[in-house]
């Protein structure tokens, strides 16, 4: 009718930040969403900011889940997830363990989905006495597993230790036997689209292909997602999503890790069309 207020047709968007970030880092992304989809309700979850982002991943999953669940309940038609860096793994934990989630698009923005194994500035800052080749001595202990990074540290030269010690990623990937794997897969597959964004100039996610479920073999040669065991065995639904046509890979060169969420080209190329 005449004079009706323009109401957004876009579902609410929930943003989950990464390591050492806080909600304030996503102003640009919020602006891009509001310019392209006016009236969209965008929530950047303000939890586990800065150094608190080192808390164990399952603790973060539970905390973010509690904050996000009411938003889902108020969104009859569903919500979208944009989850950045470490946040992309938090979101996978939520989607796997929350049986009645209503996430339509899960946009994973330069997230170490297959794990992390690299000498980065973050590593030098956090663990000055370690390099990637010896961090397993810390990460694959019960103490190490209380630090978020260690929950998805994936040393290709110590695969058995990773599988037996990783309390988070190895369970999410069912690389260690997980009694909940069937249920988690069913939950995860309730998403309508999985969008995996990453690029060769990231500089932090190592290998960068981890953002699209590729990872190193024991020679540190990158094996692409389609040849990964977790894909071939369809342990949590990647192959199913691909068969459904709902697995979208978006690679953008020239973007450094800290700029993914403020780069307008990335937004228009990789995110905008999935936020409907």
């Amino acid at each position: 009718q005449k004079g009706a207020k323009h109401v957004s047709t876009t579902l609410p968007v929930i943003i989950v930040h990464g390591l050492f970030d806080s909600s304030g880092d996503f102003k640009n992304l919020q602006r891009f969403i509001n310019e392209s989809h006016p009236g969209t309700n965008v929530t950047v979850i303000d939890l586990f900011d800065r150094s608190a982002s080192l808390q164990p991943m399952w603790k973060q999953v539970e905390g973010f889940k509690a904050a996000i669940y009411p938003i889902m309940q108020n969104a009859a038609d569903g919500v979208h997830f944009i989850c950045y860096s470490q946040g992309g793994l938090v979101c996978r934990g939520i989607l796997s363990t929350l049986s009645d989630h209503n996430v339509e698009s899960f946009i994973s923005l330069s997230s170490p989905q297959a794990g992390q194994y690299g000498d980065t500035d973050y590593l030098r800052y956090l663990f000055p006495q370690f390099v990637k080749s010896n961090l397993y001595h810390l990460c694959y202990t019960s103490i190490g597993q209380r630090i978020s990074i260690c929950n998805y540290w994936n040393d290709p030269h110590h695969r058995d230790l990773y599988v037996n010690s990783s309390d988070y990623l190895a369970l999410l990937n069912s690389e260690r036997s997980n009694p909940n794997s069937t249920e988690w897969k069913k939950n995860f597959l309730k998403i309508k689209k999985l969008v995996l964004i990453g690029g060769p100039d990231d500089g932090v996610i190592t290998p960068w292909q981890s953002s699209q479920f590729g990872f190193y073999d024991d020679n540190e040669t990158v094996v692409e997602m389609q040849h990964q065991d977790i894909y071939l065995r369809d342990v949590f639904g990647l192959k199913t999503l691909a068969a459904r046509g709902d697995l979208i890979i978006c690679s953008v060169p020239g973007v450094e890790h800290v700029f993914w969420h403020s780069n307008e080209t990335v937004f228009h190329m990789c995110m905008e069309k999935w936020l409907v």
Side-chain angles (χ1 to χ4, degrees), residues 42-157:
V42 182
T43 309
V44 189
I45 307 295
D46 191 17
L47 281 177
F48 299 101
D49 290 357
R50 307 291 178 215
S51 61
S53 62
L54 289 166
Q55 296 271 341
M57 293 293 283
W58 283 120
K59 186 175 175 186
Q60 295 196 47
V61 167
E62 292 311 313
F64 277 108
K65 194 192 286 183
I68 287 168
Y69 194 57
I71 304 172
M72 290 181 173
Q73 288 181 302
N74 286 326
D77 299 322
V79 299
H80 296 309
F81 267 6
I82 302 176
C83 309
Y84 169 63
S85 197
Q86 178 178 280
L89 284 170
V90 172
C91 288
R92 264 184 72 199
I94 295 171
L95 293 169
S96 302
T97 57
L98 189 56
S99 57
D100 57 342
H101 77 75
N102 57 356
V103 173
E104 298 275 307
S105 297
F106 169 27
I107 298 175
S108 168
L109 185 56
S110 191
S111 173
Q113 292 293 357
Q116 172 73 2
Y117 183 70
D119 287 316
T120 63
D121 291 341
Y122 290 86
L123 189 63
R124 281 186 282 276
Y125 168 71
L126 280 170
F127 309 115
Q129 69 278 42
F130 288 100
V131 289
K132 68 178 184 182
S133 59
N134 67 7
L135 186 61
Y136 76 93
H137 288 296
L138 168 66
C139 272
Y140 299 149
T141 64
S142 55
I143 302 276
Q145 287 296 307
R146 294 186 209 158
I147 308 165
S148 66
I149 292 178
C150 288
N151 290 156
Y152 51 88
W153 187 254
N154 187 355
D155 186 327
H157 308 292

Side-chain angles (χ1 to χ4, degrees), residues 16 24 48 69 74 76 120 138 154 166 171 202 206-207 215 218 233 237 245 249 252:
V16 174
F48 299 101
Y69 194 57
N74 286 326
T120 63
L138 168 66
N154 187 355
S166 168
L171 275 180
D202 181 90
T206 321
F215 206 71
D218 54 11
R233 290 194 299 122
I249 305 283
V252 188

Side-chain angles (χ1 to χ4, degrees), residues 5-73:
K5 182 175 172 290
H6 172 80
V7 177
S8 172
T9 52
T10 315
L11 305 179
V13 176
I14 295 167
I15 299 174
V16 174
H17 70 77
L19 192 66
F20 298 137
D21 306 324
S22 71
S23 55
D25 297 320
F26 293 84
K27 297 275 185 279
N28 287 314
L29 182 53
Q30 284 181 276
R31 183 167 53 82
F32 302 153
I33 296 169
N34 286 129
E35 284 170 0
S36 62
H37 303 294
T40 303
N41 185 349
V42 182
T43 309
V44 189
I45 307 295
D46 191 17
L47 281 177
F48 299 101
D49 290 357
R50 307 291 178 215
S51 61
S53 62
L54 289 166
Q55 296 271 341
M57 293 293 283
W58 283 120
K59 186 175 175 186
Q60 295 196 47
V61 167
E62 292 311 313
F64 277 108
K65 194 192 286 183
I68 287 168
Y69 194 57
I71 304 172
M72 290 181 173
Q73 288 181 302

Side-chain angles (χ1 to χ4, degrees), residues 188-253:
F188 187 74
L189 281 170
K190 290 185 174 150
I191 61 172
K192 303 288 191 290
K193 298 273 179 238
L194 173 60
V195 184
L196 300 171
I197 304 171
D201 301 304
D202 181 90
V204 170
I205 306 299
T206 321
W208 74 266
Q209 292 93 339
S210 177
S211 57
Q212 298 163 347
F213 286 101
F215 206 71
Y216 294 127
D217 63 11
D218 54 11
N219 292 319
E220 290 188 44
T221 301
V222 174
V223 178
E224 300 291 342
M225 170 175 68
Q226 288 81 352
H227 302 291
Q228 289 286 344
D229 189 53
I230 55 171
Y231 180 88
L232 295 168
R233 290 194 299 122
D234 200 28
V235 282
F236 58 89
L238 281 180
K239 202 171 175 182
T240 298
L241 286 169
R244 275 174 22 188
D246 294 332
L247 180 55
I248 295 98
I249 305 283
C250 197
S251 302
V252 188

